[in-house]
Amino acid sequence: MDGNMADRPAAACAQGREAVVFFDTNNLVTFINTAAERLWGLSQGEAIGRDVGDLIPGAGAEPGGELPLSIMRDDGSHVEGLVSVTRARHKRETYYIAFVRPTLNPPVHSKSLAILAAVAEKTDRGVLVADAHGKVIYANPAFRDMLDDGTEWPASVTLAELFCGRLGNGSFADHIQDAMERRIALSEDVALKGKSGMEVWVSASVTPIMDRQTGVLEQVVAVVADITHTRLVEDLQRQVLGALAADAPMADIMDILCRKVQGLAPNALCSILGVTADERLTVLAAPSLPAEFSAAVEGLPIGPRSGSCGTAAFRGTPVLVEDISTSPLWEDFRELLPIPPGITGCWSIPVKLRGGKVAATFAFYFQAAHGPTPWLENVVAACSDLCALALERFEAKKRIEMLANVDTLTGLANRRQLHTVLEELLVEARTLEQPLAVLYLDIDHFKDVNETLGHSTGDQLLVEVSRRLKAQLRTGDVVGRSGGDEFLVLVHDCTAEEAARIARRLLEYVAAPITAQALHLTMSASVGIALYPDHGADAETLLKHADTAVHEAKRKGRGKFHFFTEELNRRVLDRLVLSVALREAIQNRALRLVYQPQVLLSSGALHGVEALARWTDPIHGDVPATRFIPLAEEYGLIERIDEWAVEASCQRIATWRQEGVDVPHVSVNLSPLSFRSGDIVGFISGALREYDLKPSDLRVEITERVMMDQHPNSFATARAIEALGVRIAMDDFGTGYSSLSALSRLPIAELKIDRSFMLSIEQDQNAQALATAVIRIGHSLGMTVVAEGVETQAQADLLRFLGCHAAQGFLFARPIEAADIGSWLAARRPG
């Protein structure tokens, strides 16, 4: 028993004539009165903390009737007496009271009861004492204040009659009777009928007191504590937590809080106002306030003089206004807010989240200038915690929903949310019979930005593109990021003409320079467009067709837009089917190489051969390289083909060497995509070692696309190949992006004039001029020049006159199977 617990009995017992000793469940003395000090010859300080057995042998046994006691005083003398021990509870803690009287005085049973009564008179707990027959012989004032309706009790009322009848709980009366019969203690929380018939919840402890020698029941002591308020608050907490667990709407939970608190404080009207991100009030619940009051509060800014709630939210501390009609805080709102009749004051408490942010206010509008009672303050403390818990839960739920539906980098809707929004827009489009457009925008060469400038620069670029896309849309249109560098734009009530106009505008704004990491980047994008209902009636189909269209836009040169067509869909499906067959062909080594000779124009001798890939599929037949090479690039298969071509060419030239077939070198075409990783360098080096070849036995042909590629590895890979001693030829020179400055930076040893120049070189002076320019560029840079597509002797003669070194074409030979190269060479030797 702590000091506070001891204070109450101490005041009652200090001047008692009987010796009183208090001790706890550990049998340690916690208090003795003045009579006990005289009886044992000890001061209170000397007694407290000692084992009670030192003073009263056997006192640690179960409470019961009076027993004889031989008292050993501190001076060694003995005093005979009688002792009785009573058990009591205070604030759910158990302690014991020993009443000791010398046998000099005659035993008076009522005296010990009087001592108990003195203690009980001072406690705030209700105390009942009954005799062995259950007849009530004592009730303290606290019990009567708690449960008495003011009428006189019958003189012979029993515990059972009292609890079953007047207090309205027959079940508890039965429990008491059972405990008396079994001589056991009883603890239980029960509902009793209080004053005016109101329900009162109490925590009751009933203790039977028996004679220690005979075990006969002598008395029954019942102690009750009013827990009505605690019970009501616990009930409120259970309901709110249950609603939270059931994922009830925010409005329902706030309504429960307000109505329950109004039930606990009938004279108050409650409201819960939230605080928005822009520091304005929003009504979360106000079930008993007029609708016009809630409408007037909605959207009001918080501030230092903005009523009770706005001020409490602004200050972050409770605000009590006892008279709304005179308070300066309400000066600007008295006419604006219709206060219910009879309401004079308002008490508003800020509801804070764990980080200290004020998220809401809990307000009580009351009558007749009386502020919050201590009980109401306790209720509000509990309700504020519940309100904060509910708000934090909904904030977390909102955050989770945002993370599930919003792209965290750009703040745009993600693919999941876009699909949901598209479904909703389609429902609207069907209802209104309006068209709808899905624009799929893909940033061109975005991967290069990430790989060359880093992902942080790429992120800056994506954020800026997002901002530009949002700025160009109408109200009601939606833009989102579906992943990587891909964006979706959903435009309602949009015809094909309007979709084309929007696509042009978006491409124009994306193409404007973007500043990132102190660099001015110029990007382009490709857009695919699918229309409802022309290109699909559901979200999945429209998204798929827009994706198909954007790939076609990229295929046609990037920086463009393209509408979906059924023909395009068929081609895409064909490409997909063909890509599967190509993948299997690569795995099964079903591709083969043929070789086209290159002839020196000055002597007719063999300059070298170009390896050309061929594919004959069991189902699709002969598939030209112009079809399957772009397909391999699109589906990520080209590097495997390039590696296979290098290995097969090295193996073939080694075989020719063994067979005595004199082929100076083999040229192998490599995709620009193989230059990005740089892995091809090691593969070339390994193949040369494996087949014991000199670097001059292999030549690598690249196209002008390598010069256009911004990837930093492309030029580095070219220089690494040249460092191996392998010469590099520029294929199809003059047909694309012919940058002389880039040509000078690349280690090019050979230029190849594209076959398109040969079609009119004999008649067209412009074609002759261009061919002449290419040949002179090659001469000036110390490069060999080879012409492709030569089919007539006149073309060959002209090229020889212009200074071209070598040529290949049907005039000399079509592409030849590897086994036939030896025969072709033999046929060309002079007889």
Side-chain angles (χ1 to χ4, degrees), residues 235-270:
D235 180 60
L236 170 62
Q237 290 174 328
R238 278 194 298 271
Q239 288 199 42
V240 172
L241 293 174
L244 282 171
D247 208 19
M250 169 76 82
D252 291 357
I253 293 175
M254 297 305 173
D255 188 76
I256 290 172
L257 275 170
C258 284
R259 292 185 185 277
K260 281 292 182 181
V261 172
Q262 288 175 172
L264 298 175
N267 295 322
L269 301 180
C270 296

Side-chain angles (χ1 to χ4, degrees), residues 676-689:
R676 293 189 170 192
S677 69
D679 293 342
I680 194 67
V681 178
F683 199 87
I684 291 172
S685 177
L688 292 173
R689 286 195 306 272

